[in-house]
Amino acid sequence: VQLQASGGGLVQAGGSLRLSCAASGSILSINAMGWFRQAPGKEREFVAARTWIGDSTYYADSVKGRFTISRDNAKSVSLQMDSLKPEDTAVYYCAADPKGPVVSERYNYWGQGTQVTVSS
């Protein structure tokens, strides 16, 4: 399975961006997808996740009410990011097929990352 993330860019504070992540290859084992981010000098952190079974969503406290993760189809998810803040600046990674809790980094597959920069 390969994951291709897209949609990053530069936006002013208060603006919006939409990230997309599409999986290719054998997807039979995927039951959830998520987004993580890593800011300069910081560890990678959980942002959001959605499960296929039960259609449950999970969000980091820092993005609740501003970000929305959607399942576009069996192979892709999107992350709608509204009311962006400078502290949201990071490289965003999509991930698929978690081996443990969806909020952990224990995913089998990772995308290459896409840069999101929010200017003040």
Side-chain angles (χ1 to χ4, degrees):
V1 175
Q2 293 183 328
L3 303 181
Q4 180 68 44
S6 61
L10 173 64
V11 65
Q12 289 187 334
S16 299
L17 280 175
R18 186 177 181 88
L19 306 182
S20 296
C21 178
S24 61
S26 175
I27 61 171
L28 295 179
S29 63
I30 291 179
N31 55 18
M33 294 183 74
W35 289 95
F36 292 74
R37 67 186 181 186
Q38 187 169 21
K42 295 186 178 181
E43 294 186 351
R44 189 160 57 185
E45 64 177 3
F46 169 78
V47 176
R50 193 170 191 120
T51 64
W52 275 206
I53 299 175
D55 200 26
S56 297
T57 55
Y58 302 82
Y59 296 97
D61 288 342
S62 59
V63 306
K64 279 181 182 177
R66 300 188 299 120
F67 290 12
T68 303
I69 185 169
S70 301
R71 179 185 174 187
D72 298 329
N73 55 47
K75 301 181 181 181
S76 65
V77 290
S78 296
L79 185 67
Q80 178 66 38
M81 305 185 295
D82 299 318
S83 302
L84 282 162
K85 305 175 181 180
E87 49 264 44
D88 294 318
T89 295
V91 176
Y92 283 70
Y93 298 89
C94 64
D97 192 24
K99 297 181 289 185
V102 296
V103 301
S104 77
E105 292 195 30
R106 297 180 61 201
Y107 282 72
N108 280 319
Y109 309 106
W110 289 85
Q112 83 285 7
T114 184
Q115 177 70 46
V116 171
T117 303
V118 184
S119 62
S120 58

